[in-house]
Amino acid sequence: MKRVFSGVQPTGTIHLGNYLGAMKRFVDLQDDYESIFCIVDLHALTVPRDPEELRNKTRELALFYLAIGLDPEKTTIFTQSSVSAHSELAWLLQCVAHVGELNRMTQYKEKGQGKDTVTAGLYTYPVLMAADILLYQTEVVPVGEDQKQHLELTRDIAQRFNNRYGEAFTIPEPLINEIGARIMALDEPTKKMSKSAESPNNYIGLLEEPKIINKKIMRAVTDSENEVRFDPENKPGISNLLTIYSLMSETPVSELEQKYQGLGYGAFKKDLAEVVVDRISEIQDRYRRWEKDGGVEDVLRQGAEKVSVIAEETMERVKDLMGLYRV
Ligand code: AMP
Ligand code: TRP
């Protein structure tokens, strides 16, 4: 079985963009791949966080992983900080990555924009991400569009290492959805839906009440044409809603266009809200069940134990190849 790895940061509100762009895919993959999904808490530290909040968000994300349908019998779930090899390999790879490469990363620039100071961690963040992936000899990495550049860097670092020191790493392939790789903000459909958005009207959170979800969808920004047609360039709002509808109901966009021909945005949005609420309610039910029954800590503990074995094998080989003296 091929191995798949991905990570999500335990910060902000987990929203429909995270779910449709990446996490829903995790669930589809778990039957056909050896799957490892990580809660990347070390990445969350690249901007200052309240410690108690980080702890809570980490547990919350573990519950989300289970709530969306990841099955701990098939899938390994763990926190990044519980396997110290992530930090260790990140250092070794920082000595392989180039400053010029990191300077080209757009996410670092975006996140640092308008800030007086930026941590060194935010700058080297993509190298820690490369370490996450390479540690497990990952073959496939499901992510949203915004991570494409980081995946390219990961591949470059792995190739450079293998050429310079000898074969240590599998070269990973990104897996990016054809549709839904970039879910846009409801209130501003030319920008991506984001955890760090200022207005809560930007996103739909996975724990939001049906009433609120409904309201946000009915108020989502669209054009004035009142024609349900997929045309991201000229009709970004309605195209984004069509994408969400299509993914949530597993219906092709063309079929939806036909269904809503001549019916206008009101009818379309009303049905969309119903579909989204239905699906999110399932996730919420499972979330509450796991929260009530407990067991999430055991899943994380066992997950960390399991992946540590793979991580150690990679570390041994990497240290040997780099010439670190082992006695
Ligand atoms: P993050 O919350 O930044 O850790 O992202 C977790 C995953 O969700 C990554 O694979 C992102 O690429 C993906 N993601 C985040 N925002 C969006 C979005 N608006 N549309 C699609 N995918 C997204
Ligand atoms: N950087 C990713 C994000 O912000 C999260 C991440 C960290 C990740 N390590 C990873 C994703 C490894 C895939 C694989 O979304």
Side-chain angles (χ1 to χ4, degrees):
M1 261 207 233
K2 282 194 174 178
R3 191 174 286 151
V4 59
F5 178 98
S6 193
V8 178
Q9 294 193 54
T11 57
T13 310
I14 300 291
H15 54 67
L16 218 50
N18 298 127
Y19 178 59
L20 296 177
M23 293 168 79
K24 184 171 180 287
R25 200 73 181 275
F26 300 175
V27 183
D28 302 335
L29 291 167
Q30 68 178 341
D31 290 319
D32 303 317
Y33 289 82
E34 180 190 341
S35 12
I36 307 177
F37 297 115
C38 185
I39 299 166
V40 291
D41 51 357
L42 298 174
H43 276 109
L45 294 173
T46 51
V47 299
R49 305 269 170 210
D50 174 61
E52 202 47 40
E53 186 175 318
L54 177 58
R55 230 180 324 267
N56 291 337
K57 290 275 172 195
T58 302
R59 186 163 187 280
E60 196 178 280
L61 182 53
L63 288 167
F64 269 124
Y65 271 158
L66 296 164
I68 59 169
L70 289 179
D71 174 356
E73 299 285 318
K74 295 183 198 157
T75 296
T76 309
I77 301 171
F78 74 108
T79 61
Q80 191 183 26
S81 63
S82 61
V83 179
S84 52
H86 287 256
S87 309
E88 204 178 357
L89 183 60
W91 171 256
L92 300 179
L93 296 182
Q94 277 177 59
C95 300
V96 177
H98 298 163
V99 169
E101 291 173 317
L102 295 182
N103 285 343
R104 282 196 295 274
M105 295 293 118
T106 55
Q107 195 173 58
Y108 148 73
K109 284 184 206 150
E110 278 163 24
K111 286 199 181 175
Q113 227 165 36
K115 302 239 162 73
D116 292 340
T117 53
V118 165
T119 65
L122 188 64
Y123 183 61
T124 57
Y125 171 120
V127 186
L128 177 59
M129 177 163 164
D132 298 340
I133 296 167
L134 299 177
L135 206 45
Y136 300 107
Q137 308 298 338
T138 303
E139 285 158 291
V140 179
V141 187
V143 281
E145 171 79 29
D146 59 350
Q147 298 303 313
K148 199 172 164 192
Q149 201 187 27
H150 291 159
L151 253 298
E152 278 158 14
L153 176 70
T154 301
R155 289 167 58 89
D156 289 345
I157 292 175
Q159 251 141 8
R160 189 173 311 140
F161 188 102
N162 287 351
N163 289 340
R164 185 177 302 163
Y165 294 109
E167 288 293 316
F169 299 123
T170 303
I171 311 297
E173 295 284 344
L175 186 65
I176 299 174
N177 282 347
E178 260 165 54
I179 82 158
R182 199 172 151 82
I183 299 291
M184 310 308 275
L186 296 182
D187 60 349
E188 212 176 336
T190 48
K191 292 201 177 138
K192 73 167 187 179
M193 189 176 280
S194 166
K195 281 178 172 177
S196 47
E198 268 171 37
S199 161
N201 292 327
N202 169 295
Y203 54 78
I204 291 178
L206 292 193
L207 284 185
E208 264 168 354
E209 278 177 46
K211 219 171 56 200
I212 308 267
I213 296 176
N214 207 45
K215 200 155 53 176
K216 286 188 180 180
I217 290 179
M218 294 314 284
R219 281 191 191 160
V221 171
T222 47
D223 55 86
S224 56
E225 203 183 50
N226 209 25
E227 193 189 321
V228 180
R229 186 162 47 81
F230 190 77
D231 178 355
E233 204 158 303
N234 299 308
K235 295 163 75 71
I238 205 72
S239 302
N240 187 42
L241 297 182
L242 269 167
T243 303
I244 294 173
Y245 198 149
S246 168
L247 290 168
M248 291 299 262
S249 65
E250 271 149 44
T251 313
V253 167
S254 56
E255 215 171 282
L256 294 172
E257 283 176 323
Q258 252 172 12
K259 182 171 171 188
Y260 290 98
Q261 213 172 24
L263 294 182
Y265 294 163
F268 171 78
K269 282 180 165 180
K270 194 164 157 283
D271 289 356
L272 170 62
E274 211 168 290
V275 167
V276 172
V277 164
D278 265 10
R279 240 347 235 292
I280 288 192
S281 299
E282 270 172 49
I283 295 176
Q284 293 183 353
D285 287 347
R286 233 177 324 199
Y287 185 99
R288 299 217 172 90
R289 229 175 304 136
W290 270 101
E291 200 176 26
K292 187 166 142 282
D293 296 348
V296 67
E297 290 79 10
D298 287 336
V299 170
L300 293 177
R301 212 173 293 122
Q302 284 161 15
E305 266 172 38
K306 205 165 147 197
V307 295
S308 292
V309 179
I310 314 172
E312 274 319 306
E313 264 174 42
T314 302
M315 286 312 293
E316 284 297 312
R317 178 151 181 78
V318 167
K319 285 179 182 169
D320 262 351
L321 285 169
M322 290 184 100
L324 297 172
Y325 185 45
R326 330 268 298 128
V327 287

